[in-house]
Amino acid sequence: MILNPPSSVAFSVFGYDVKFYGIMLFLGMIFGIFTTSVISKRYYKSVDLDILTDFMPFLIIFSILGARIYYVLLSFNYYVKFPQEIFALWHGGISIHGAILGGLIAGIIYFKFIKKIPLLPYADVVSYGLAIGQAIGRWGNFFNQEAFGIPCNLPWKLYVESIYRPAELMQYSYFHPAFLYESIWDIFVFLILFFVVRKWAKNLSGVVFFSYLALYSTGRIFIENIRTDSVLNVQNIPIALIVSVFTILISIFSLIFITLQNKKPAN
């Protein structure tokens, strides 16, 4: 089975092209919110659904802003030359690390300073939706012919048109569908969170969230090694790989801290 992306345009309305990329991101947000709401209602009685619902628009706005600002900053040299592209989200160019950071900032502001209630229980339930949303949203990369890997000749190889290929790989037509690998990994992350971590964590707030960060980042490290479009390299190391390693370390430290705090005897 060869993956062959169709046109990036889904349809046009009054002369305005609606891109598959935007549709997939929208579907990812919708299914992510739905997943979060269902799981929180069924398994997290300490989470106030009204507060969670009110937080969602806040979360979406900050996540989109964080994802775009992070990507633009890492691609600063390009956007200095083409500033009109900064707001062209339909051309691609968002970062999940930026989205997570933006969402975390939104959570700190909303829960710590506005509602003055613990953040971590809400971060836990959002993590389920985030994994599902990523799994769906990654397919936007398929239609934009981006986030692909090194050349390959596997049965599930991805055909990439010449205008989207890196100059040094112009002679190749088929590549690893890195976006697909990450989408599949995100589904596995959700399953691990729901069927394993959720049952083990029980009343340990924050365990699901930091487990999500550690699991996603682990998969991202392996996938990043085959990608050809890393937005920025530091000493030939993709910045996404460096951020993923730091995220894993922070997550492990946080998980240990939460576990030890829970074992402390009550005074």
Side-chain angles (χ1 to χ4, degrees):
M1 177 186 69
I2 299 176
L3 299 174
N4 194 353
S7 168
S8 62
V9 178
F11 55 89
S12 297
V13 179
F14 302 116
Y16 176 78
D17 291 337
V18 178
K19 301 293 187 72
F20 278 112
Y21 184 84
I23 292 174
M24 298 312 299
L25 292 184
F26 176 76
L27 290 176
M29 286 189 291
I30 293 299
F31 279 92
I33 291 171
F34 176 77
T35 300
T36 293
S37 299
V38 170
I39 290 179
S40 62
K41 183 177 181 179
R42 176 67 177 84
Y43 299 102
Y44 290 83
K45 303 302 181 182
S46 62
V47 170
D48 188 312
L49 286 177
D50 291 332
I51 292 178
L52 180 63
T53 301
D54 291 341
F55 172 62
M56 282 301 173
F58 202 55
L59 174 64
I60 291 171
I61 292 171
F62 269 72
S63 295
I64 294 175
L65 287 175
R68 187 57 172 177
I69 292 172
Y70 185 94
Y71 185 89
V72 169
L73 289 176
L74 294 183
S75 308
F76 185 75
N77 290 335
Y78 172 80
Y79 288 103
V80 165
K81 296 178 182 178
F82 305 100
Q84 70 278 8
E85 286 291 310
I86 292 176
F87 301 100
L89 284 172
W90 53 91
H91 291 161
I94 60 174
S95 166
I96 184 59
H97 288 126
I100 293 172
L101 180 59
L104 186 58
I105 292 173
I108 292 172
I109 294 173
Y110 188 81
F111 292 105
K112 182 175 180 59
F113 297 105
I114 297 177
K115 291 296 182 179
K116 301 186 187 304
I117 58 176
L119 164 64
L120 289 180
Y122 292 87
D124 284 341
V125 296
V126 168
S127 298
Y128 298 106
L130 186 54
I132 291 296
Q134 285 178 253
I136 297 172
R138 269 298 174 192
W139 281 87
N141 299 133
F142 169 69
F143 294 104
N144 268 12
Q145 298 192 50
E146 58 188 5
F148 53 85
I150 57 178
C152 77
N153 196 33
L154 296 169
W156 55 86
K157 58 192 176 185
L158 172 71
Y159 174 75
V160 177
E161 295 178 23
S162 59
I163 59 172
Y164 299 108
R165 300 173 200 163
E168 66 274 15
L169 300 175
M170 194 60 67
Q171 70 272 30
Y172 299 97
S173 299
Y174 300 99
F175 300 80
H176 277 282
F179 80 91
L180 175 62
Y181 301 157
E182 186 165 331
S183 179
I184 294 172
W185 177 245
D186 289 331
I187 293 174
F188 275 113
V189 169
F190 170 80
L191 295 175
I192 294 170
L193 292 179
F194 185 76
F195 290 105
V196 180
V197 179
R198 176 181 61 84
K199 295 181 179 179
W200 171 74
K202 293 185 178 179
N203 297 322
L204 297 178
S205 296
V207 169
V208 171
F209 173 64
F210 288 110
S211 295
Y212 157 76
L213 291 180
L215 288 168
Y216 169 73
S217 297
T218 299
R220 183 63 184 266
I221 287 174
F222 287 100
I223 295 168
E224 198 66 29
N225 280 312
I226 67 168
R227 283 183 60 167
T228 61
D229 61 345
S230 297
V231 65
L232 177 68
N233 292 332
V234 178
Q235 297 295 319
N236 292 322
I237 302 175
I239 189 67
L241 193 152
I242 296 173
V243 172
S244 294
V245 170
F246 274 104
T247 302
I248 291 172
L249 293 175
I250 292 171
S251 298
I252 291 174
F253 174 81
S254 299
L255 288 169
I256 293 173
F257 178 79
I258 291 171
T259 303
L260 292 178
Q261 284 291 103
N262 187 67
K263 288 183 178 180
K264 284 185 177 181
N267 293 325

